[in-house]
């Protein structure tokens, strides 16, 4: 006989076990889009304790919809090796590789979680912890509470990655709430520029930086914070910047 309450207890008990285990992390990533998932995979492969928090029910961010809901993504030659790392199937068209976006998201998520990265969906990062002028963790809450006045909880992380895409939400909150200067030309958020795929993809990896002690930007958030253009549905930069932030943090942690 299946027992409803036994099922309930198994869910609650095991979820709480995860939450306790991941309350103190090497790396906390905000956003389970392509850049966050890629970063999580390489960090987990290097045996770092890493978790991603995404406020949506589903992971994958802006990758599912390809371009304008045509669910294909395009990746350039420079990033092909990352498609291979994730065993993503693709077809070659000259210098471009075309992959199915659903297959791509699920492959990124499969390999990241298989390597040990933990994904907490339905949890948003609403703030950061700052100690001694350094970001030291995240303030998290259920994303479905709406306007209810419910206090959040907090988790520690040696490094935080803002992988929230165009909105660069964590950095926006950091700047809004604290009288600080970012490691950007003006010391503040430079703001995303209009579409220029070639420029956007050529600068995105350089834009992956520790913008304030303890916090890095990657993916579209990196271009938004550093005043670079958007690129549309070419995804090499998302993958390459996810790998770059992982490599950089792995280097610092060792
Ligand atoms: O937007 P998103 O896919 O970020 P990305 O990895 O990739 C960008 C591309 O999809 C595309 C593009 C490339 O050609 O321009 O837009 O940079 O994923 C961002 C994720 O962050 C989550 C959001 O739900 C999405 O899944 N997110 C945003 N703010 C928060 C958050 C927050 N405050 N807390 C938790 N999750």
């Amino acid at each position: 006989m299946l027992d409803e309450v036994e099922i309930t207890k198994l869910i609650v008990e095991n979820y709480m076990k995860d939450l306790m285990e991941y309350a103190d992390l090497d790396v906390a990533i905000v956003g389970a889009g392509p850049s966050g998932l890629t970063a999580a995979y390489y960090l987990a492969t290097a045996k770092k304790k890493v978790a991603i928090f995404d406020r949506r029910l589903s992971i994958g961010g802006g990758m599912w919809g390809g371009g304008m809901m045509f669910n294909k993504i395009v990746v350039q030659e420079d990033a092909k090796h990352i498609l291979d790392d994730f065993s993503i199937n693709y077809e070659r068209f000259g210098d471009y590789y075309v992959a199915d976006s659903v297959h791509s998201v699920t492959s990124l998520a499969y390999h990241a979680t298989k390597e040990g990265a933990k994904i907490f969906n339905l949890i948003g990062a609403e703030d950061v912890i700052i100690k001694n002028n350094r970001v030291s963790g995240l303030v998290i809450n259920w994303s479905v509470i709406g306007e209810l006045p419910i206090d959040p909880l907090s988790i520690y992380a040696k490094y935080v990655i803002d992988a929230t895409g165009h909105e660069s939400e964590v950095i926006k909150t950091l700047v809004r709430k604290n009288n600080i200067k970012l490691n950007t030309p003006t010391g503040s958020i430079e703001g995303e520029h209009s579409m220029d795929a070639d420029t956007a993809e050529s600068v995105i990896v350089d834009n992956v930086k520790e913008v304030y002690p303890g916090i890095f930007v990657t993916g579209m958030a990196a271009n938004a914070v550093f005043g670079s253009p958007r690129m549309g549905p070419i995804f090499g930069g998302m993958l390459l910047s996810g790998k770059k932030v992982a490599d950089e943090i792995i280097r610092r942690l060792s």
Side-chain angles (χ1 to χ4, degrees):
M1 281 284 275
L2 295 176
D3 181 330
E4 293 84 353
V5 176
E6 190 58 30
I7 294 167
T8 303
K9 285 180 179 172
L10 284 170
I11 288 177
V12 175
E13 193 178 318
N14 282 285
Y15 190 89
M16 290 308 160
K17 210 161 72 187
D18 281 355
L19 204 52
M20 293 291 279
E21 185 183 342
Y22 289 93
D24 203 338
L25 292 162
D26 288 325
V27 188
I29 302 174
V30 186
S35 65
L37 288 170
T38 306
Y41 167 76
Y42 290 108
L43 285 160
T45 305
K47 303 288 173 240
K48 303 304 170 203
K49 196 177 186 188
V50 54
I52 310 182
F53 298 87
D54 199 298
R55 66 181 172 201
R56 290 188 193 157
L57 178 58
S58 61
I59 47 84
M63 204 182 212
W64 295 110
M68 214 179 88
M69 297 201 291
F70 299 120
N71 65 358
K72 297 285 181 194
I73 60 156
V74 175
V75 168
Q76 63 274 47
E77 182 68 42
D78 295 353
K80 175 186 163 291
H81 65 283
I82 300 187
L83 294 178
D84 292 331
D85 282 356
F86 285 92
S87 306
I88 293 173
N89 300 329
Y90 48 76
E91 230 183 300
R92 183 176 182 173
F93 296 87
D95 293 339
Y96 297 110
Y97 297 83
V98 176
D100 181 280
S101 68
V102 175
H103 169 61
S104 301
V105 170
T106 50
S107 300
L108 294 178
Y110 171 76
H111 286 282
T113 52
K114 186 84 179 162
E115 285 297 325
K118 172 72 190 168
I119 299 176
F120 291 96
N121 58 340
L122 291 168
I123 296 184
E126 61 171 60
D127 205 343
V128 293
I129 304 175
I130 297 191
K131 285 188 193 294
N132 303 319
N133 301 315
R134 188 178 198 284
V135 170
S136 311
L138 284 178
V139 178
I140 56 171
N141 213 334
W142 297 117
S143 52
V144 287
I145 59 170
E147 298 302 309
L148 293 174
I150 296 176
D151 261 323
L153 294 175
S154 302
I155 56 118
Y156 278 136
K158 295 190 182 94
Y159 286 98
V160 168
I161 301 174
D162 184 338
T164 62
H166 296 265
E167 296 308 315
S168 58
E169 281 220 7
V170 188
I171 302 298
K172 266 191 191 150
T173 305
L174 176 69
V175 169
R176 178 170 50 85
K177 291 198 158 187
N178 304 282
N179 187 20
I180 56 141
K181 277 202 178 311
L182 298 176
N183 174 23
T184 59
T186 63
S188 194
I189 296 171
E190 307 295 333
E192 179 185 310
H193 289 197
S194 292
M195 183 87 88
D196 176 352
D198 192 54
T199 307
E201 290 284 288
S202 66
V203 297
I204 190 166
V205 172
D206 282 342
N207 287 340
V208 171
K209 288 200 175 81
E210 188 176 20
V211 279
Y212 184 76
I215 185 163
F216 281 77
V217 283
T218 191
M220 199 53 223
N223 275 15
V225 166
F226 279 94
S228 301
R230 68 188 305 186
M231 72 292 286
I234 179 139
F235 279 81
M238 296 305 127
L239 307 177
L240 290 167
S241 66
K243 183 168 189 330
K244 163 89 184 284
V245 76
D247 289 345
E248 191 63 29
I249 292 176
I250 291 163
R251 197 173 58 75
R252 306 271 186 110
L253 286 173
S254 52

